[in-house]
mmCIF file of all heavy atoms in Angstrom:
data_model
loop_
_atom_site.group_PDB
_atom_site.id
_atom_site.type_symbol
_atom_site.label_atom_id
_atom_site.label_comp_id
_atom_site.label_asym_id
_atom_site.label_seq_id
_atom_site.Cartn_x
_atom_site.Cartn_y
_atom_site.Cartn_z
ATOM 1 N N GLU A 1 186.812 123.703 104.472
ATOM 2 C CA GLU A 1 186.617 122.377 105.053
ATOM 3 C C GLU A 1 187.647 122.098 106.139
ATOM 4 O O GLU A 1 187.330 121.548 107.203
ATOM 5 C CB GLU A 1 186.704 121.314 103.956
ATOM 6 C CG GLU A 1 185.528 121.336 102.994
ATOM 7 C CD GLU A 1 185.671 120.294 101.911
ATOM 8 O OE1 GLU A 1 186.727 119.604 101.898
ATOM 9 O OE2 GLU A 1 184.770 120.158 101.074
ATOM 10 N N GLU A 2 188.906 122.461 105.882
ATOM 11 C CA GLU A 2 189.963 122.240 106.881
ATOM 12 C C GLU A 2 189.704 123.052 108.147
ATOM 13 O O GLU A 2 189.872 122.577 109.275
ATOM 14 C CB GLU A 2 191.319 122.617 106.278
ATOM 15 C CG GLU A 2 192.481 122.315 107.225
ATOM 16 C CD GLU A 2 193.814 122.626 106.577
ATOM 17 O OE1 GLU A 2 193.808 123.022 105.386
ATOM 18 O OE2 GLU A 2 194.827 122.469 107.262
ATOM 19 N N GLU A 3 189.257 124.317 107.957
ATOM 20 C CA GLU A 3 188.962 125.163 109.120
ATOM 21 C C GLU A 3 187.791 124.598 109.915
ATOM 22 O O GLU A 3 187.808 124.568 111.148
ATOM 23 C CB GLU A 3 188.652 126.579 108.644
ATOM 24 C CG GLU A 3 188.437 127.569 109.782
ATOM 25 C CD GLU A 3 188.206 128.975 109.265
ATOM 26 O OE1 GLU A 3 188.257 129.162 108.030
ATOM 27 O OE2 GLU A 3 187.965 129.876 110.088
ATOM 28 N N THR A 4 186.781 124.118 109.210
ATOM 29 C CA THR A 4 185.617 123.527 109.892
ATOM 30 C C THR A 4 186.023 122.281 110.665
ATOM 31 O O THR A 4 185.601 122.056 111.810
ATOM 32 C CB THR A 4 184.533 123.175 108.867
ATOM 33 O OG1 THR A 4 184.177 124.350 108.128
ATOM 34 C CG2 THR A 4 183.303 122.610 109.553
ATOM 35 N N SER A 5 186.874 121.446 110.019
ATOM 36 C CA SER A 5 187.341 120.229 110.700
ATOM 37 C C SER A 5 188.166 120.570 111.940
ATOM 38 O O SER A 5 188.052 119.924 112.982
ATOM 39 C CB SER A 5 188.172 119.397 109.720
ATOM 40 O OG SER A 5 188.693 118.259 110.366
ATOM 41 N N LEU A 6 189.015 121.607 111.846
ATOM 42 C CA LEU A 6 189.830 122.015 112.984
ATOM 43 C C LEU A 6 188.956 122.495 114.138
ATOM 44 O O LEU A 6 189.176 122.155 115.310
ATOM 45 C CB LEU A 6 190.791 123.112 112.543
ATOM 46 C CG LEU A 6 191.745 123.651 113.630
ATOM 47 C CD1 LEU A 6 192.626 122.521 114.160
ATOM 48 C CD2 LEU A 6 192.606 124.784 113.065
ATOM 49 N N LYS A 7 187.934 123.303 113.814
ATOM 50 C CA LYS A 7 187.026 123.777 114.869
ATOM 51 C C LYS A 7 186.307 122.614 115.522
ATOM 52 O O LYS A 7 186.109 122.583 116.743
ATOM 53 C CB LYS A 7 186.018 124.744 114.259
ATOM 54 C CG LYS A 7 186.602 126.096 113.871
ATOM 55 C CD LYS A 7 185.529 127.008 113.318
ATOM 56 C CE LYS A 7 186.095 128.383 112.942
ATOM 57 N NZ LYS A 7 185.051 129.280 112.404
ATOM 58 N N LYS A 8 185.915 121.634 114.707
ATOM 59 C CA LYS A 8 185.207 120.485 115.262
ATOM 60 C C LYS A 8 186.112 119.694 116.200
ATOM 61 O O LYS A 8 185.681 119.239 117.269
ATOM 62 C CB LYS A 8 184.736 119.605 114.106
ATOM 63 C CG LYS A 8 183.865 118.448 114.566
ATOM 64 C CD LYS A 8 183.345 117.666 113.369
ATOM 65 C CE LYS A 8 182.474 116.505 113.850
ATOM 66 N NZ LYS A 8 181.972 115.689 112.711
ATOM 67 N N ARG A 9 187.391 119.542 115.798
ATOM 68 C CA ARG A 9 188.327 118.818 116.669
ATOM 69 C C ARG A 9 188.532 119.550 117.983
ATOM 70 O O ARG A 9 188.624 118.945 119.051
ATOM 71 C CB ARG A 9 189.663 118.621 115.942
ATOM 72 C CG ARG A 9 189.602 117.572 114.841
ATOM 73 C CD ARG A 9 191.004 117.096 114.478
ATOM 74 N NE ARG A 9 191.833 118.192 113.976
ATOM 75 C CZ ARG A 9 191.940 118.524 112.702
ATOM 76 N NH1 ARG A 9 191.245 117.854 111.782
ATOM 77 N NH2 ARG A 9 192.716 119.518 112.343
ATOM 78 N N LYS A 10 188.613 120.895 117.925
ATOM 79 C CA LYS A 10 188.768 121.675 119.150
ATOM 80 C C LYS A 10 187.565 121.513 120.065
ATOM 81 O O LYS A 10 187.696 121.364 121.284
ATOM 82 C CB LYS A 10 188.968 123.151 118.805
ATOM 83 C CG LYS A 10 190.324 123.471 118.215
ATOM 84 C CD LYS A 10 190.467 124.961 117.963
ATOM 85 C CE LYS A 10 191.843 125.301 117.404
ATOM 86 N NZ LYS A 10 191.982 126.755 117.163
ATOM 87 N N VAL A 11 186.393 121.541 119.465
ATOM 88 C CA VAL A 11 185.172 121.385 120.272
ATOM 89 C C VAL A 11 185.130 120.011 120.922
ATOM 90 O O VAL A 11 184.798 119.857 122.096
ATOM 91 C CB VAL A 11 183.927 121.621 119.403
ATOM 92 C CG1 VAL A 11 182.657 121.232 120.169
ATOM 93 C CG2 VAL A 11 183.850 123.075 118.965
ATOM 94 N N ASP A 12 185.486 118.978 120.130
ATOM 95 C CA ASP A 12 185.484 117.618 120.675
ATOM 96 C C ASP A 12 186.507 117.473 121.797
ATOM 97 O O ASP A 12 186.243 116.856 122.839
ATOM 98 C CB ASP A 12 185.794 116.603 119.562
ATOM 99 C CG ASP A 12 184.668 116.545 118.530
ATOM 100 O OD1 ASP A 12 183.545 116.969 118.871
ATOM 101 O OD2 ASP A 12 184.934 116.076 117.394
ATOM 102 N N HIS A 13 187.707 118.065 121.607
ATOM 103 C CA HIS A 13 188.753 117.994 122.637
ATOM 104 C C HIS A 13 188.321 118.701 123.917
ATOM 105 O O HIS A 13 188.516 118.203 125.018
ATOM 106 C CB HIS A 13 190.040 118.614 122.089
ATOM 107 C CG HIS A 13 191.159 118.624 123.091
ATOM 108 N ND1 HIS A 13 191.800 117.476 123.492
ATOM 109 C CD2 HIS A 13 191.726 119.658 123.781
ATOM 110 C CE1 HIS A 13 192.716 117.781 124.387
ATOM 111 N NE2 HIS A 13 192.702 119.099 124.572
ATOM 112 N N GLN A 14 187.700 119.879 123.742
ATOM 113 C CA GLN A 14 187.231 120.620 124.914
ATOM 114 C C GLN A 14 186.135 119.838 125.640
ATOM 115 O O GLN A 14 186.072 119.808 126.871
ATOM 116 C CB GLN A 14 186.716 121.998 124.483
ATOM 117 C CG GLN A 14 186.307 122.900 125.645
ATOM 118 C CD GLN A 14 187.502 123.291 126.497
ATOM 119 O OE1 GLN A 14 188.628 123.331 126.001
ATOM 120 N NE2 GLN A 14 187.276 123.549 127.781
ATOM 121 N N GLY A 15 185.253 119.199 124.845
ATOM 122 C CA GLY A 15 184.196 118.403 125.459
ATOM 123 C C GLY A 15 184.753 117.224 126.244
ATOM 124 O O GLY A 15 184.307 116.934 127.357
ATOM 125 N N ASN A 16 185.770 116.548 125.669
ATOM 126 C CA ASN A 16 186.395 115.432 126.381
ATOM 127 C C ASN A 16 187.093 115.899 127.651
ATOM 128 O O ASN A 16 187.053 115.235 128.694
ATOM 129 C CB ASN A 16 187.402 114.733 125.466
ATOM 130 C CG ASN A 16 186.733 114.041 124.296
ATOM 131 O OD1 ASN A 16 185.569 113.650 124.396
ATOM 132 N ND2 ASN A 16 187.447 113.897 123.186
ATOM 133 N N LYS A 17 187.742 117.071 127.557
ATOM 134 C CA LYS A 17 188.433 117.615 128.716
ATOM 135 C C LYS A 17 187.450 117.949 129.833
ATOM 136 O O LYS A 17 187.679 117.658 131.005
ATOM 137 C CB LYS A 17 189.224 118.864 128.316
ATOM 138 C CG LYS A 17 190.139 119.396 129.409
ATOM 139 C CD LYS A 17 190.965 120.555 128.886
ATOM 140 C CE LYS A 17 191.889 121.078 129.974
ATOM 141 N NZ LYS A 17 192.689 122.210 129.485
ATOM 142 N N ASP A 18 186.327 118.578 129.449
ATOM 143 C CA ASP A 18 185.296 118.898 130.458
ATOM 144 C C ASP A 18 184.715 117.642 131.069
ATOM 145 O O ASP A 18 184.440 117.575 132.270
ATOM 146 C CB ASP A 18 184.190 119.737 129.812
ATOM 147 C CG ASP A 18 184.684 121.106 129.375
ATOM 148 O OD1 ASP A 18 185.739 121.535 129.899
ATOM 149 O OD2 ASP A 18 184.038 121.730 128.507
ATOM 150 N N SER A 19 184.561 116.611 130.244
ATOM 151 C CA SER A 19 184.026 115.352 130.757
ATOM 152 C C SER A 19 184.975 114.718 131.747
ATOM 153 O O SER A 19 184.584 114.233 132.815
ATOM 154 C CB SER A 19 183.754 114.396 129.594
ATOM 155 O OG SER A 19 183.290 113.155 130.078
ATOM 156 N N GLU A 20 186.295 114.720 131.409
ATOM 157 C CA GLU A 20 187.285 114.160 132.333
ATOM 158 C C GLU A 20 187.332 114.961 133.624
ATOM 159 O O GLU A 20 187.427 114.410 134.716
ATOM 160 C CB GLU A 20 188.656 114.153 131.661
ATOM 161 C CG GLU A 20 188.752 113.179 130.499
ATOM 162 C CD GLU A 20 190.099 113.266 129.817
ATOM 163 O OE1 GLU A 20 190.912 114.132 130.243
ATOM 164 O OE2 GLU A 20 190.349 112.488 128.875
ATOM 165 N N THR A 21 187.261 116.287 133.508
ATOM 166 C CA THR A 21 187.263 117.121 134.710
ATOM 167 C C THR A 21 186.049 116.826 135.583
ATOM 168 O O THR A 21 186.143 116.751 136.814
ATOM 169 C CB THR A 21 187.278 118.603 134.328
ATOM 170 O OG1 THR A 21 188.393 118.856 133.468
ATOM 171 C CG2 THR A 21 187.387 119.481 135.558
ATOM 172 N N GLY A 22 184.910 116.646 134.939
ATOM 173 C CA GLY A 22 183.701 116.316 135.695
ATOM 174 C C GLY A 22 183.826 114.976 136.391
ATOM 175 O O GLY A 22 183.416 114.813 137.548
ATOM 176 N N GLN A 23 184.422 113.988 135.712
ATOM 177 C CA GLN A 23 184.615 112.677 136.325
ATOM 178 C C GLN A 23 185.575 112.759 137.505
ATOM 179 O O GLN A 23 185.353 112.144 138.550
ATOM 180 C CB GLN A 23 185.126 111.691 135.281
ATOM 181 C CG GLN A 23 184.089 111.334 134.221
ATOM 182 C CD GLN A 23 184.666 110.391 133.191
ATOM 183 O OE1 GLN A 23 185.844 110.043 133.228
ATOM 184 N NE2 GLN A 23 183.818 109.980 132.245
ATOM 185 N N GLU A 24 186.676 113.510 137.329
ATOM 186 C CA GLU A 24 187.621 113.670 138.434
ATOM 187 C C GLU A 24 186.966 114.346 139.624
ATOM 188 O O GLU A 24 187.171 113.977 140.775
ATOM 189 C CB GLU A 24 188.834 114.479 137.970
ATOM 190 C CG GLU A 24 189.712 113.741 136.975
ATOM 191 C CD GLU A 24 190.867 114.599 136.505
ATOM 192 O OE1 GLU A 24 190.920 115.782 136.946
ATOM 193 O OE2 GLU A 24 191.692 114.112 135.724
ATOM 194 N N GLY A 25 186.147 115.371 139.364
ATOM 195 C CA GLY A 25 185.456 116.043 140.459
ATOM 196 C C GLY A 25 184.503 115.110 141.168
ATOM 197 O O GLY A 25 184.398 115.117 142.396
ATOM 198 N N ALA A 26 183.805 114.280 140.385
ATOM 199 C CA ALA A 26 182.877 113.318 141.000
ATOM 200 C C ALA A 26 183.622 112.304 141.847
ATOM 201 O O ALA A 26 183.189 111.942 142.936
ATOM 202 C CB ALA A 26 182.074 112.616 139.906
ATOM 203 N N GLU A 27 184.796 111.842 141.341
ATOM 204 C CA GLU A 27 185.592 110.899 142.123
ATOM 205 C C GLU A 27 186.086 111.537 143.407
ATOM 206 O O GLU A 27 186.107 110.907 144.460
ATOM 207 C CB GLU A 27 186.768 110.415 141.280
ATOM 208 C CG GLU A 27 186.338 109.505 140.122
ATOM 209 C CD GLU A 27 187.515 109.085 139.288
ATOM 210 O OE1 GLU A 27 188.647 109.543 139.580
ATOM 211 O OE2 GLU A 27 187.328 108.294 138.342
ATOM 212 N N LYS A 28 186.510 112.811 143.347
ATOM 213 C CA LYS A 28 186.968 113.493 144.555
ATOM 214 C C LYS A 28 185.840 113.615 145.570
ATOM 215 O O LYS A 28 186.026 113.432 146.764
ATOM 216 C CB LYS A 28 187.519 114.875 144.202
ATOM 217 C CG LYS A 28 188.852 114.839 143.479
ATOM 218 C CD LYS A 28 189.335 116.236 143.199
ATOM 219 C CE LYS A 28 190.687 116.223 142.493
ATOM 220 N NZ LYS A 28 191.160 117.596 142.201
ATOM 221 N N VAL A 29 184.641 113.933 145.077
ATOM 222 C CA VAL A 29 183.495 114.038 145.986
ATOM 223 C C VAL A 29 183.204 112.698 146.629
ATOM 224 O O VAL A 29 182.936 112.600 147.827
ATOM 225 C CB VAL A 29 182.262 114.559 145.219
ATOM 226 C CG1 VAL A 29 181.022 114.460 146.095
ATOM 227 C CG2 VAL A 29 182.488 116.001 144.787
ATOM 228 N N LYS A 30 183.272 111.621 145.821
ATOM 229 C CA LYS A 30 183.038 110.301 146.371
ATOM 230 C C LYS A 30 184.088 109.949 147.424
ATOM 231 O O LYS A 30 183.793 109.374 148.458
ATOM 232 C CB LYS A 30 183.063 109.266 145.250
ATOM 233 C CG LYS A 30 181.847 109.349 144.341
ATOM 234 C CD LYS A 30 181.913 108.271 143.271
ATOM 235 C CE LYS A 30 180.708 108.338 142.359
ATOM 236 N NZ LYS A 30 180.767 107.313 141.284
ATOM 237 N N LYS A 31 185.351 110.285 147.150
ATOM 238 C CA LYS A 31 186.413 109.995 148.111
ATOM 239 C C LYS A 31 186.207 110.769 149.410
ATOM 240 O O LYS A 31 186.441 110.270 150.491
ATOM 241 C CB LYS A 31 187.776 110.327 147.501
ATOM 242 C CG LYS A 31 188.192 109.365 146.399
ATOM 243 C CD LYS A 31 189.557 109.726 145.851
ATOM 244 C CE LYS A 31 189.993 108.764 144.761
ATOM 245 N NZ LYS A 31 191.321 109.130 144.216
ATOM 246 N N ARG A 32 185.777 112.015 149.303
ATOM 247 C CA ARG A 32 185.563 112.813 150.499
ATOM 248 C C ARG A 32 184.398 112.283 151.327
ATOM 249 O O ARG A 32 184.429 112.281 152.536
ATOM 250 C CB ARG A 32 185.305 114.267 150.107
ATOM 251 C CG ARG A 32 186.528 114.982 149.553
ATOM 252 C CD ARG A 32 186.169 116.371 149.091
ATOM 253 N NE ARG A 32 187.301 117.054 148.475
ATOM 254 C CZ ARG A 32 187.233 118.235 147.879
ATOM 255 N NH1 ARG A 32 186.053 118.846 147.802
ATOM 256 N NH2 ARG A 32 188.300 118.793 147.348
ATOM 257 N N ARG A 33 183.366 111.806 150.639
ATOM 258 C CA ARG A 33 182.200 111.324 151.348
ATOM 259 C C ARG A 33 182.454 109.967 151.996
ATOM 260 O O ARG A 33 181.834 109.621 152.982
ATOM 261 C CB ARG A 33 181.026 111.217 150.374
ATOM 262 C CG ARG A 33 180.482 112.569 149.913
ATOM 263 C CD ARG A 33 179.345 112.393 148.938
ATOM 264 N NE ARG A 33 178.818 113.675 148.476
ATOM 265 C CZ ARG A 33 177.871 113.809 147.567
ATOM 266 N NH1 ARG A 33 177.358 112.722 146.993
ATOM 267 N NH2 ARG A 33 177.446 115.003 147.208
ATOM 268 N N GLY A 34 183.331 109.153 151.396
ATOM 269 C CA GLY A 34 183.581 107.813 151.921
ATOM 270 C C GLY A 34 184.396 107.847 153.210
ATOM 271 O O GLY A 34 184.941 108.868 153.625
ATOM 272 N N ARG A 35 184.479 106.693 153.864
ATOM 273 C CA ARG A 35 185.263 106.558 155.089
ATOM 274 C C ARG A 35 186.749 106.589 154.764
ATOM 275 O O ARG A 35 187.188 105.928 153.816
ATOM 276 C CB ARG A 35 184.901 105.247 155.783
ATOM 277 C CG ARG A 35 185.624 105.033 157.105
ATOM 278 C CD ARG A 35 185.179 103.744 157.751
ATOM 279 N NE ARG A 35 183.764 103.797 158.114
ATOM 280 C CZ ARG A 35 183.122 102.781 158.675
ATOM 281 N NH1 ARG A 35 183.750 101.635 158.894
ATOM 282 N NH2 ARG A 35 181.833 102.914 158.979
ATOM 283 N N PRO A 36 187.557 107.333 155.480
ATOM 284 C CA PRO A 36 188.994 107.378 155.191
ATOM 285 C C PRO A 36 189.639 106.016 155.432
ATOM 286 O O PRO A 36 189.178 105.246 156.276
ATOM 287 C CB PRO A 36 189.520 108.428 156.188
ATOM 288 C CG PRO A 36 188.503 108.453 157.280
ATOM 289 C CD PRO A 36 187.187 108.173 156.629
ATOM 290 N N PRO A 37 190.692 105.693 154.687
ATOM 291 C CA PRO A 37 191.330 104.388 154.860
ATOM 292 C C PRO A 37 191.948 104.261 156.249
ATOM 293 O O PRO A 37 192.448 105.221 156.819
ATOM 294 C CB PRO A 37 192.422 104.384 153.771
ATOM 295 C CG PRO A 37 192.667 105.830 153.471
ATOM 296 C CD PRO A 37 191.349 106.519 153.662
ATOM 297 N N ALA A 38 191.874 103.053 156.774
ATOM 298 C CA ALA A 38 192.407 102.797 158.117
ATOM 299 C C ALA A 38 193.923 102.906 158.110
ATOM 300 O O ALA A 38 194.599 102.448 157.181
ATOM 301 C CB ALA A 38 191.982 101.413 158.591
ATOM 302 N N GLU A 39 194.437 103.527 159.134
ATOM 303 C CA GLU A 39 195.879 103.704 159.255
ATOM 304 C C GLU A 39 196.519 102.396 159.711
ATOM 305 O O GLU A 39 196.095 101.791 160.699
ATOM 306 C CB GLU A 39 196.183 104.807 160.268
ATOM 307 C CG GLU A 39 197.670 105.100 160.423
ATOM 308 C CD GLU A 39 197.924 106.173 161.453
ATOM 309 O OE1 GLU A 39 196.937 106.675 162.027
ATOM 310 O OE2 GLU A 39 199.093 106.516 161.683
ATOM 311 N N LYS A 40 197.505 101.952 158.974
ATOM 312 C CA LYS A 40 198.187 100.713 159.311
ATOM 313 C C LYS A 40 199.330 101.005 160.270
ATOM 314 O O LYS A 40 200.289 101.703 159.936
ATOM 315 C CB LYS A 40 198.716 100.050 158.039
ATOM 316 C CG LYS A 40 199.223 98.638 158.274
ATOM 317 C CD LYS A 40 199.600 97.978 156.973
ATOM 318 C CE LYS A 40 200.062 96.551 157.205
ATOM 319 N NZ LYS A 40 200.457 95.895 155.927
ATOM 320 N N LEU A 41 199.215 100.474 161.479
ATOM 321 C CA LEU A 41 200.197 100.744 162.514
ATOM 322 C C LEU A 41 201.261 99.655 162.534
ATOM 323 O O LEU A 41 200.983 98.501 162.193
ATOM 324 C CB LEU A 41 199.512 100.813 163.881
ATOM 325 C CG LEU A 41 198.461 101.914 164.043
ATOM 326 C CD1 LEU A 41 197.745 101.770 165.377
ATOM 327 C CD2 LEU A 41 199.092 103.288 163.938
ATOM 328 N N PRO A 42 202.479 100.004 162.932
ATOM 329 C CA PRO A 42 203.503 98.966 163.067
ATOM 330 C C PRO A 42 203.152 98.011 164.192
ATOM 331 O O PRO A 42 202.500 98.400 165.163
ATOM 332 C CB PRO A 42 204.775 99.778 163.396
ATOM 333 C CG PRO A 42 204.270 101.057 163.983
ATOM 334 C CD PRO A 42 202.973 101.344 163.289
ATOM 335 N N PRO A 43 203.522 96.748 164.083
ATOM 336 C CA PRO A 43 203.156 95.773 165.116
ATOM 337 C C PRO A 43 203.815 96.075 166.453
ATOM 338 O O PRO A 43 204.930 96.602 166.520
ATOM 339 C CB PRO A 43 203.656 94.443 164.535
ATOM 340 C CG PRO A 43 204.725 94.822 163.561
ATOM 341 C CD PRO A 43 204.321 96.149 163.001
#
């Protein structure tokens, strides 16, 4: 039972990690596609 629970926790952790990586990749793609922020010049 302990070994099964440990494997399940590893699978869940890996799934969460992959999900976070996918979200970060999607955010990076969105940032690249969007307009770059305007450069603030000194007066």
Side-chain angles (χ1 to χ4, degrees):
E1 290 179 357
E2 184 177 357
E3 184 177 358
T4 303
S5 177
L6 181 60
K7 288 182 179 180
K8 186 176 180 182
R9 287 199 299 269
K10 288 183 178 180
V11 170
D12 293 340
H13 178 70
Q14 185 66 27
N16 293 333
K17 188 175 181 180
D18 294 340
S19 178
E20 292 177 357
T21 305
Q23 291 178 357
E24 291 178 358
E27 290 178 357
K28 288 181 179 179
V29 171
K30 289 181 180 179
K31 290 181 179 179
R32 290 176 184 174
R33 290 179 180 176
R35 182 178 296 179
E39 182 181 0
K40 190 174 182 181
L41 299 173

